[in-house]
Amino acid sequence: MAATRGAAVSNINALRSAAARYVDFFSLAARRDRMAILASPTRVAILNVDQTRKVATFRRREIEEGEEDGRLVRSRDLNGYFEYHACNKNSNSNYAAVGDQKLDSSVSKPVFRPYDICFHGRRNRALIEATLPGENNESKTEKHEERTKGSLLRPGMVLLKNFISHDEQVDIVKVCRELGLGLGGFYQPGYSNGAKLQLKMMCLGMDWNPRTYKYGNKRIFDGSTPPSIPNHFSELVRRAIQEAQSLTKKEYRASKLEDILPSMTPDICIVNFYTKNGKLGLHQDRDESRESLRKELPVVSFSIGDSADFLYGDERNVHKAEGVILESGDVLIFGGESRRVFHGVRSVLPNSAPKELLRDSGFSPGRLNLTFRQY
């Protein structure tokens, strides 16, 4: 009996000793000393330690950029996840917060998994192999030429219906997909308050940071350089502006056309992909340079895929805003006195994309929107 009791006491003491070591291992001080052990390319859980009760618990957290524990966190969003290694304890330098532009060499960069705007696999092959009765390249060209027309929504704001041809739309989708799967590709952006935009975003030329509302040469959370704007995209922008200026001149008979709708050469393009639930609140595009805003250089917007219920007005008030449906192939231009118009997307109209576009490009259900501007 005594031997049994002694063995039990010994086991209890061993358990207590193991528990003490467990708590000590996950204490804040011990964690800093063992970060090299915890470092792993796999998903890492934040260790949340209650110092008062000496109880160690695991819990997953979303960490805002710039928080101290950003060095040891998997930050997850709808688009994928980013993985961070712990700091090398042999390094004498301080590690940077995740939101800093210059990441310390002792901290690994995020592993970024971009969003694919196209189908893949069997569903994509079936879509591409599908045929539409009575449709061929010649009829699509004629259809485009017949439907292309423009209208002035207000001074400096012009809508060009079906301006982008079918082949150009297919090319835009394929190019954006290729760029979007590379460095600086599509991701789900968020504001400084933690709210996520209901879209996927990629920047070309320069990066726009929705947390700071500023442009930069590198994307702040992964250090990637935005891809350049393809030359044929810029050429399409130039053609659209010329067409809009021609319509403006006929309507207003203005002697100084540049005062109503100036020309511009884009060096920035923000590419947004909206799913069927995507939307964007009323806002102004006013983060470009003072000179660009002073000259009221226009924003040129391409719509590809599903149609959008687009709102615009002089106030950030949905009830007072006017609306127009932007369809695949439409180009919207607003500059001059309309440069700072409030605008947004109330909703995306599901299953409204041209079937031939889906077939020929493999584009996923949703809306692709490219907005060009000059910084």
Side-chain angles (χ1 to χ4, degrees):
M1 177 69 71
T4 303
R5 183 178 302 170
V9 171
S10 177
N11 290 337
I12 291 174
N13 289 335
L15 289 173
R16 286 176 177 172
S17 177
R21 289 196 300 273
Y22 178 85
V23 172
D24 177 69
F25 181 83
F26 289 114
S27 68
L28 287 174
R31 183 179 58 170
R32 294 192 184 98
D33 294 336
R34 294 177 174 84
M35 291 186 76
I37 299 176
L38 294 175
S40 169
T42 59
R43 303 175 181 180
V44 182
I46 285 297
L47 306 177
N48 180 32
V49 183
D50 186 330
Q51 289 278 42
T52 304
R53 299 183 181 181
K54 300 295 183 182
V55 177
T57 61
F58 288 91
R59 75 181 176 96
R60 298 181 183 275
R61 292 184 56 195
E62 296 291 336
I63 301 297
E64 288 291 323
E65 289 184 353
E67 286 193 23
E68 180 182 2
D69 273 334
R71 62 186 180 274
L72 189 64
V73 63
R74 175 183 67 104
S75 177
R76 184 179 178 87
D77 61 22
L78 298 177
N79 179 41
Y81 61 84
F82 311 104
E83 297 168 352
Y84 297 86
H85 290 189
C87 174
N88 182 352
K89 75 172 187 174
N90 296 322
S91 173
N92 293 325
S93 60
N94 295 326
Y95 39 77
V98 178
D100 289 350
Q101 289 195 12
K102 295 182 179 179
L103 293 177
D104 187 88
S105 59
S106 63
V107 182
S108 297
K109 289 185 177 181
V111 177
F112 177 61
R113 298 187 178 181
Y115 185 86
D116 192 345
I117 63 172
C118 289
F119 283 132
H120 51 84
R122 295 177 60 186
R123 189 175 184 185
N124 184 36
R125 287 196 298 271
L127 195 61
I128 293 177
E129 292 169 0
T131 59
L132 298 178
E135 187 77 35
N136 53 48
N137 290 334
E138 184 177 351
S139 64
K140 283 184 291 188
T141 301
E142 292 175 354
K143 181 179 178 181
H144 169 70
E145 291 177 350
E146 290 175 359
R147 290 183 54 195
T148 301
K149 59 181 181 179
S151 58
L152 277 67
L153 303 181
R154 50 186 283 166
M157 191 171 191
V158 180
L159 174 60
L160 303 176
K161 296 295 295 181
N162 198 43
F163 183 81
I164 308 173
S165 70
H166 168 80
D167 291 342
E168 289 169 332
Q169 292 180 55
V170 171
D171 176 73
I172 290 172
V173 170
K174 291 182 177 180
V175 171
C176 287
R177 186 207 183 202
E178 182 179 354
L179 295 175
L181 290 176
L183 294 176
F186 285 105
Y187 75 105
Q188 184 167 20
Y191 295 116
S192 57
N193 62 4
K196 295 287 187 181
L197 279 75
Q198 293 182 288
L199 49 81
K200 303 297 187 293
M201 185 177 79
M202 169 179 67
C203 295
L204 306 179
M206 296 179 69
D207 180 71
W208 179 70
N209 187 345
R211 294 179 180 271
T212 62
Y213 299 97
K214 294 181 179 180
Y215 288 102
N217 293 321
K218 289 191 176 183
R219 196 156 66 179
I220 193 168
F221 68 81
D222 64 357
S224 62
T225 301
S228 299
I229 302 175
N231 290 334
H232 59 295
F233 284 15
S234 298
E235 174 60 22
L236 192 55
V237 170
R238 185 190 64 80
R239 283 172 38 208
I241 293 177
Q242 287 182 344
E243 180 67 19
Q245 289 177 331
S246 176
L247 291 171
T248 300
K249 187 174 183 179
K250 292 178 182 179
E251 178 71 19
Y252 294 101
R253 302 184 183 278
S255 56
K256 294 184 178 180
L257 187 61
E258 290 286 328
D259 293 340
I260 300 179
L261 186 59
S263 300
M264 72 95 174
T265 302
D267 52 13
I268 301 167
C269 176
I270 298 179
V271 187
N272 290 331
F273 176 77
Y274 300 79
T275 62
K276 63 181 181 180
N277 297 320
K279 60 182 66 176
L280 185 62
L282 289 172
H283 65 282
Q284 294 174 304
D285 290 347
R286 57 181 184 182
D287 300 327
E288 291 69 43
S289 68
R290 290 183 179 179
E291 183 179 6
S292 179
L293 296 176
R294 180 183 62 81
K295 293 181 178 179
E296 298 178 328
L297 302 183
V299 173
V300 179
S301 171
F302 293 176
S303 293
I304 308 291
D306 283 338
S307 302
D309 185 359
F310 183 83
L311 300 178
Y312 63 95
D314 293 321
E315 302 177 37
R316 186 182 279 115
N317 187 327
V318 174
H319 303 292
K320 294 183 179 181
E322 298 184 69
V324 65
I325 300 298
L326 299 181
E327 299 175 298
S328 190
D330 290 352
V331 174
L332 179 68
I333 302 171
F334 51 97
E337 66 180 74
S338 292
R339 177 58 177 81
R340 300 200 190 196
V341 66
F342 286 94
H343 58 282
V345 175
R346 177 157 48 191
S347 64
V348 172
L349 308 182
N351 305 317
S352 56
K355 298 299 186 292
E356 61 268 21
L357 172 65
L358 304 182
R359 179 197 63 195
D360 294 345
S361 67
F363 189 50
S364 296
R367 176 179 183 252
L368 189 65
N369 177 228
L370 294 78
T371 55
F372 300 85
R373 65 281 308 273
Q374 181 176 324
Y375 181 74

